Amino acid sequence: MKSVQHTRSPSDIPTFFSTGGAVCGLLQKMDWSASPLGDPQGWSAGLKAVMTTLLPAQAQIVLFWGPHYAALYNDAYAPSIGHKHPHALGQPAHIHWRELWDDLEPLLRGVRETGQTFSAKNRPFYIERHGLGETVYFDVSYSAVREADDTVGGVLCIVNETTERVRFQRRQAFLLELGQTLPRLGAAERIGDHAARRLAEELGAARVCFGEDLGEGQRVRIAHEWAAETPSILGDHSYASFDPTLYDVLKSGQQVRRNYAEAEPRSPALQGLGGVLHVPVMRADRLEAMLAVHYKQPRLFVEDECLLVEETAKQVWAAITHARAERALHMLNERLEERVADMLAQREASMLQLHEARKMEMIGQLTGGIAHDLNNMLTPIIASLELVRRQSDKERTVRLIDGGLQAAERARNLVGRLLSFARRQTLKPQPVALALLVEDMHELMARSLGPTISLQVRIDPALPAVLVDSHQLELALLNLVINARDAMPEGGKLTIAAGLDGDGPALPEGLVAGKQVWLQVADSGGGMSDEVLGRCIEPFYSTKGVGKGSGLGLPMVQGLAVQSGGGFAICSRVGEGTEATLWLPTSAAGLPSSEPSPVQAPRAQGPIKVLLVDDEALVRQATLLQLRDLGYDVAEADCAARALALVEQGWVPDVLVTDHVMTEMTGVRFAQRLRERMAGLPVLIITGYANLTPRELHGFEVLRKPFRQDELAQSLAHLLAQKG
């Protein structure tokens, strides 16, 4: 609409413009030569008639007329389009509704072409009416307006904005679900992490994190976070690292809302973000915690969403403090149980109730413990045989030593499988050929299935290799096969197939096409109902009865797929069987050789001092000999305390090699203490029983027992090269 206003004499003003109201006044003064509708005096009788009804109406009504969908509306409708009014009056809709035109135009065209009414309740629309875009909701009814010749001249839209109601209902539903879920999670860590993820999903945020004020008015500890395509900020931060005034504003009980222009400078913690919302959690006028919601793009911070974040922060902090109190009470009860004899009976009863759920965990711990001892025995065996072989020149002796090394290597692989079963081993992804892996397992699977179930394998050997921990994949596949067997008590057919993501089941949401291979286990059993299918991935949920299943098989399979960068899905129909499908990422590297060629172990480059700490004398002595054979200057200690004493006496190591599982202090803890004295000291953790997460390792390099001399040499060379 042009800004120039035209004064008309009363006789020139159409009667349907005289019904009063602000919009009527604007219509009277418009320059209609800039509108595709032309002079109102020349409008059709149908358009004039509908305008006579539309303008004085109290309902929110907009009319889109003609092939250009020129917009005409009344006073009641104007607030719903914000700053688009009054410029949208008389103009083609695609000009001022451009951000939602791809959504709106098909609806209008459908009514115009068919003459049929379109209606919907709480219909979402994305609209820019207050600067930034937002999703709003309307009850809508779009009807055709016909001309005298029965053709459709325009679309009359009667709308009622329900945005506030929808947002209120969604907020209440979210808070209700959160209030029911958080108490069941138990641990404070799980509560904070779950709330951060759910809030990010609800608001479409790039990062949600929950921080606890450290009490000195300077720093906040971020211990719970969910982030997508945004760097993690877990750890301790100063408030000023987010915003210089953040602490003062939060301490006063106010929220901090801010949008950043693309080139506007911001702190490192907020790099790549467009909008941030920080909400305080107060108790007795004291700032106790902060909930931060970060967005990739600038955000219109509507009050209802800000209220949702505020209420969520209160719920989460209350749940976390309650969980901590329960944990403290639980620990106190445990101490009391140890000291009061009459509590032992109650404790035994509780243990019996948890027996089935913990059976697999106990077996895993036992297996892991045995594997740990075996690794400690194998380490000096392998080291000693290697050192003897390097000094022996008799052909028969070399043959015997090679046989001993091969047997030790097989034992090492067996221990790896034990640890994999016990879920006590960090994943070690490597290129795996699915056809070869399934072929190697064929006999084991056939024996597990029994004679009444036929096993068919359809896997092209030419499929690309996948990047996954082969031992964990074997365990996952065996889990699926056993599940299928239990679903076919009368016998049946089991099919294992694989293929590229384009020639099989649809990819799960979030996976990139062209980079995944699917592996499917399908049975002809009785299938699952929708209720069972909906819960079958839940940990500890099992339909097999007491003593026949722990309910951890499918969650472990899903965890392996997701942790490996793939996905997992299961579909089932009653009477038709079940299909369980893993998606695994393809590997850019080639398959490892089945018979690895000998690698020359890199020797020490110059005088390099190694501090070796291990409480197992045999392991320590074997490792000492290996290191000295590689040319390193080694000082040894059987515990962390003696190692610290060596350092205090003047021994300055260039690298630390330490066992992890030691009686007085773990290797990781000892390495951290030594790093406080010697920043940047290269650290190699050796262990035969490790399920440490990257966060628990604090960035230290890990070498699993038992190890070959070349593996030890390569690890040290890599660490020293990084140090430069």
Side-chain angles (χ1 to χ4, degrees):
M1 183 181 72
K2 290 185 178 180
S3 59
V4 178
Q5 297 182 348
H6 291 257
T7 304
R8 299 173 180 266
S9 65
S11 60
D12 293 336
I13 297 175
T15 56
F16 53 87
F17 282 179
S18 303
T19 56
V23 171
C24 284
L26 292 170
L27 293 174
Q28 293 174 14
K29 299 174 183 179
M30 277 184 59
D31 178 8
W32 290 97
S33 64
S35 169
L37 295 173
D39 192 328
Q41 297 289 3
W43 288 359
S44 68
L47 177 55
K48 292 177 180 179
V50 74
M51 288 299 292
T52 302
T53 303
L54 179 153
L55 289 172
Q58 297 300 308
Q60 301 174 53
I61 304 177
V62 56
L63 174 66
F64 295 104
W65 192 264
H68 298 288
Y69 299 107
L72 296 166
Y73 48 84
N74 60 7
D75 287 356
Y77 179 80
S80 67
I81 58 173
H83 64 214
K84 297 181 186 297
H85 174 71
H87 311 288
L89 272 174
Q91 297 303 308
H94 71 86
I95 297 176
H96 295 283
W97 279 266
R98 60 185 177 278
E99 73 276 12
L100 72 156
W101 191 238
D102 288 343
D103 184 23
L104 179 61
E105 189 274 339
L107 302 179
L108 299 177
R109 175 161 41 84
V111 175
R112 182 178 175 85
E113 292 179 353
T114 66
Q116 297 180 357
T117 297
F118 169 79
S119 64
K121 294 288 187 181
N122 298 322
R123 175 65 157 77
F125 293 93
Y126 177 81
I127 188 169
E128 297 171 0
R129 58 180 182 178
H130 300 300
L132 295 172
E134 59 178 311
T135 299
V136 296
Y137 300 86
F138 287 89
D139 291 343
V140 299
S141 177
Y142 295 175
S143 302
V145 178
R146 298 186 179 275
E147 296 277 29
D149 59 358
D150 204 37
T151 60
V152 176
V155 180
L156 183 70
C157 305
I158 302 174
V159 303
N160 177 40
E161 184 168 359
T162 60
T163 302
E164 289 188 7
R165 182 181 70 198
V166 171
R167 287 174 178 168
F168 173 79
Q169 291 173 345
R170 290 184 61 175
R171 174 164 58 90
Q172 293 301 105
F174 179 85
L175 294 173
L176 178 62
E177 176 205 345
L178 202 65
Q180 293 173 340
T181 303
L182 295 186
R184 298 199 298 264
L185 296 178
E189 293 76 12
R190 295 183 63 194
I191 289 172
D193 293 345
H194 173 82
R197 177 182 61 81
R198 285 290 295 114
L199 189 60
E201 293 171 348
E202 181 71 14
L203 299 180
R207 180 168 64 207
V208 172
C209 49
F210 201 92
E212 181 176 355
D213 181 75
L214 295 181
E216 81 283 60
Q218 297 287 333
R219 295 177 302 149
V220 61
R221 175 165 296 158
I222 307 295
H224 312 286
E225 176 191 60
W226 185 94
E229 301 179 2
T230 302
S232 171
I233 57 172
L234 288 172
D236 293 356
H237 299 267
S238 67
Y239 285 100
S241 67
F242 294 96
D243 190 294
T245 63
L246 179 61
Y247 177 75
D248 291 332
V249 177
L250 293 178
K251 186 176 66 172
S252 68
Q254 301 179 57
Q255 299 178 0
V256 176
R257 312 172 189 177
R258 182 167 181 183
N259 285 316
Y260 292 92
E262 185 173 350
E264 185 178 355
R266 67 210 74 179
S267 67
L270 302 179
Q271 287 300 317
L273 299 173
V276 296
L277 171 63
H278 295 103
V279 173
V281 179
M282 310 292 293
R283 180 176 295 181
D285 294 329
R286 177 184 174 273
L287 177 64
E288 292 198 345
M290 171 190 80
L291 181 55
V293 184
H294 297 160
Y295 299 94
K296 276 289 188 182
Q297 303 299 328
R299 182 82 168 187
L300 182 65
F301 295 106
V302 298
E303 288 301 322
D304 200 86
E305 285 188 355
C306 294
L307 185 58
L308 171 64
V309 177
E310 182 178 324
E311 292 296 326
T312 298
K314 293 177 182 178
Q315 275 200 24
V316 174
W317 185 240
I320 286 176
T321 54
H322 183 74
R324 289 175 177 174
E326 282 196 337
R327 175 60 180 166
L329 180 61
H330 179 68
M331 293 179 68
L332 176 61
N333 287 338
E334 285 185 346
R335 288 193 294 269
L336 289 173
E337 287 170 2
E338 294 173 359
R339 300 162 67 180
V340 182
D342 61 344
M343 295 293 289
L344 292 176
Q346 296 182 24
R347 185 174 183 272
E348 184 64 23
S350 299
M351 292 296 294
L352 288 174
Q353 293 177 4
L354 294 173
H355 174 72
E356 289 301 325
R358 295 184 58 185
K359 183 165 56 179
M360 290 304 295
E361 179 184 354
M362 293 169 64
I363 294 174
Q365 290 174 348
L366 175 62
T367 306
I370 294 172
H372 171 249
D373 291 338
L374 283 174
N375 276 332
N376 274 337
M377 288 186 286
L378 286 171
T379 298
I381 291 173
I382 291 177
S384 300
L385 287 172
E386 283 192 314
L387 292 171
V388 172
R389 188 185 190 284
R390 290 169 60 86
Q391 299 170 5
S392 175
D393 55 1
K394 293 183 179 180
E395 181 179 351
R396 184 172 180 273
T397 303
V398 170
R399 257 198 330 271
L400 291 174
I401 292 172
D402 283 344
L405 282 171
Q406 291 175 12
E409 189 68 27
R410 292 178 63 186
R412 181 167 75 156
N413 291 334
L414 175 61
V415 171
R417 289 175 182 265
L418 286 172
L419 285 172
S420 178
F421 165 75
R423 299 192 297 280
R424 292 294 189 275
Q425 182 161 272
T426 305
L427 290 183
K428 186 177 181 181
Q430 60 183 351
V432 173
L434 290 180
L436 184 59
L437 180 138
V438 174
E439 182 181 350
D440 289 344
M441 294 182 64
H442 193 282
E443 183 178 352
L444 172 62
M445 291 188 295
R447 287 201 306 267
S448 301
L449 291 171
T452 62
I453 299 176
S454 66
L455 173 62
Q456 295 186 5
V457 177
R458 298 200 303 268
I459 302 179
D460 187 351
L463 274 178
V466 295
L467 190 62
V468 68
D469 188 309
S470 61
H471 298 319
Q472 293 288 349
L473 181 57
E474 288 176 0
L475 180 60
L477 184 57
L478 189 58
N479 259 310
L480 295 177
V481 169
I482 296 302
N483 282 350
R485 179 200 66 189
D486 293 344
M488 297 182 288
E490 305 299 326
K493 175 183 174 183
L494 178 68
T495 303
I496 301 177
L500 293 172
D501 58 25
D503 59 3
L507 277 170
E509 185 177 353
L511 294 186
V512 180
K515 297 184 178 181
Q516 299 283 330
V517 170
W518 55 268
L519 174 64
Q520 185 177 85
V521 177
D523 65 64
S524 60
M528 292 183 280
S529 66
D530 291 342
E531 179 183 0
V532 173
L533 183 63
R535 298 190 59 192
C536 66
I537 305 294
E538 294 180 12
F540 303 111
Y541 177 76
S542 175
T543 60
K544 297 181 181 181
V546 177
K548 296 184 179 180
S550 66
L552 293 173
L554 289 180
M556 189 195 70
V557 175
Q558 183 188 45
L560 169 66
V562 174
Q563 190 177 354
S564 301
F568 178 69
I570 185 166
C571 62
S572 183
R573 294 166 295 278
V574 175
E576 298 182 24
T578 300
E579 297 173 350
T581 308
L582 291 93
W583 282 266
L584 298 168
T586 57
S587 170
L591 291 171
S593 172
S594 57
E595 295 292 338
S597 57
V599 178
Q600 183 66 34
R603 299 182 58 80
Q605 301 298 312
I608 298 175
K609 294 182 177 181
V610 177
L611 177 57
L612 173 64
V613 187
D614 198 314
D615 59 355
E616 290 282 347
L618 286 174
V619 177
R620 187 176 67 256
Q621 183 64 24
T623 308
L624 173 70
L625 293 174
Q626 286 182 313
L627 290 169
R628 287 180 174 169
D629 186 63
L630 291 170
Y632 291 99
D633 182 8
V634 186
E636 60 174 311
D638 61 0
C639 65
R642 287 190 174 86
L644 285 173
L646 284 174
V647 174
E648 290 172 353
Q649 292 167 9
W651 176 270
V652 181
D654 297 304
V655 62
L656 169 65
V657 179
T658 177
D659 186 27
H660 176 65
V661 181
M662 296 187 292
T663 54
E664 296 179 358
M665 183 185 299
T666 67
V668 170
R669 178 60 186 145
F670 169 61
Q672 287 179 289
R673 289 189 60 178
L674 203 55
R675 277 271 183 94
E676 293 172 1
R677 296 168 173 260
M678 308 173 65
L681 175 69
V683 175
L684 179 63
I685 305 292
I686 55 175
T687 181
Y689 181 52
N691 60 336
L692 299 173
T693 66
R695 184 183 300 176
E696 292 170 325
L697 285 171
H698 295 276
F700 297 140
E701 190 82 14
V702 174
L703 178 62
R704 290 185 293 187
K705 299 178 184 176
F707 48 82
R708 303 289 291 265
Q709 186 181 37
D710 61 324
E711 294 172 329
L712 176 62
Q714 292 286 354
S715 296
L716 289 174
H718 175 68
L719 279 174
L720 293 168
Q722 284 183 325
K723 182 181 179 183

